[in-house]
Each structure stands twice: as C-alpha cells, then as structure tokens.
Amino acid sequence: MTAEKSNTFRHILPLQIRFNDVDKFGHVNNTIYFQFYDTAKTDYIAAVCKGIDWGNLAIMVVKIEAEFMAQIKADSHIAGRTRVVKIGNKSFHLEQDVIDVDTQEVKSHCISVMVLYDLENQKTIPLPDEWRRAISTYDGLE
C-alpha cells in the first residue's frame, strides 16, 4: 500500500446548496452531505485519472463513514475537498471534508474506500499503473 505523505488537500470544489437540500429546521439535511461527497469525488476522479472508460468501468464505494461536526445553513458558502490517502491493489481510500469557504471550518468529514469494478465481467480489478502514478503525484503519496 502507498501511504500518506502530504497533509494538504489540492482538490477543492465549490458546492451549491439547492432549495430542496434544506430541511424544515433551516439546515442542510445530513443525507445531502453524501451527495456533496459524490459530486466532489467525481470531479476529483475526472481531474486526476484521465480517460476512464465509463462504459466498461465503475468506481464503487465499498465503505463510507461520515462525521458531522457543524450544521450548514441554506445561505452558507461551502466546498468539498478530496484527496486519496492510501492506494491498494484494487482499492483506494478517499478522505473528504465539506468546509465553510468563508471560515474554513470543517462541517463534515468522510472516509471512504473505493474499488475499481469491471462492469462486463462483474468483478473488481487492479487499479491501472497510470492511475496510481497520477494519484500519487497529485496527492503527494510515497
């Protein structure tokens, strides 16, 4: 496994809070955070791992864990930050935060384990070497 070297997030994506994301208490419902994480991780993968054949490959969540530190209000300015902290043979570990852009306060923190999946053969497959290099270079992994 490749271990974490850097403690910084290079990938930061502004996120939009939609009208229906806010519940009757005036804050973003906790289920919406997972949509924020999906949006940020999709953008991360597209930016770092070029040329994915989405017709034949999928990147699937096999484990996800989120911690909610502070509520997000409808008028908040937020962003999702994403980085890979560990790369295995067929999987990689993502660390993500939803932050307040104005204060840099972490509103929620998420760790997920992702696997590369061959849709035609219905099985997990090893990560391509070019992805490993791209992720390691981008996120400063050893």
Side-chain angles (χ1 to χ4, degrees):
M1 291 236 174
T2 302
E4 178 181 345
K5 177 181 171 187
S6 171
N7 195 27
T8 61
F9 288 86
R10 287 188 59 202
H11 188 271
I12 301 171
L13 181 71
L15 297 167
Q16 179 184 18
I17 298 171
R18 301 166 302 175
F19 178 80
N20 61 333
D21 293 342
V22 180
D23 62 21
K24 70 179 186 173
F25 304 111
H27 65 265
V28 173
N29 186 281
N30 63 334
T31 62
I32 301 302
Y33 288 69
F34 293 98
Q35 293 177 28
F36 294 153
Y37 290 129
D38 279 345
T39 299
K41 90 176 90 180
T42 300
D43 193 76
Y44 174 95
I45 296 296
V48 178
C49 300
K50 308 288 186 195
I52 296 175
D53 180 5
W54 292 113
N56 293 313
L57 296 176
I59 299 172
M60 298 183 165
V61 176
V62 294
K63 181 179 180 182
I64 191 163
E65 190 176 300
E67 181 179 357
F68 304 97
M69 281 84 130
Q71 63 182 316
I72 298 172
K73 300 281 190 169
D75 61 351
S76 298
H77 299 101
I78 60 170
R81 57 187 190 187
T82 303
R83 65 181 175 166
V84 172
V85 293
K86 189 184 297 182
I87 302 173
N89 183 40
K90 296 181 179 181
S91 67
F92 57 95
H93 295 218
L94 279 177
E95 181 177 16
Q96 295 182 280
D97 292 330
V98 175
I99 62 167
D100 182 296
V101 173
D102 300 324
T103 66
Q104 298 299 302
E105 177 186 17
V106 176
K107 299 294 191 168
S108 179
H109 178 75
C110 179
I111 296 288
S112 55
V113 178
M114 312 293 293
V115 297
L116 185 58
Y117 193 77
D118 180 325
L119 294 170
E120 182 179 339
N121 295 306
Q122 296 289 295
K123 64 179 186 176
T124 59
I125 58 173
L127 297 170
D129 288 338
E130 59 269 20
W131 289 19
R132 286 177 192 288
R133 284 190 299 274
I135 292 168
S136 293
T137 299
Y138 188 84
D139 280 326
L141 300 176
E142 296 178 343

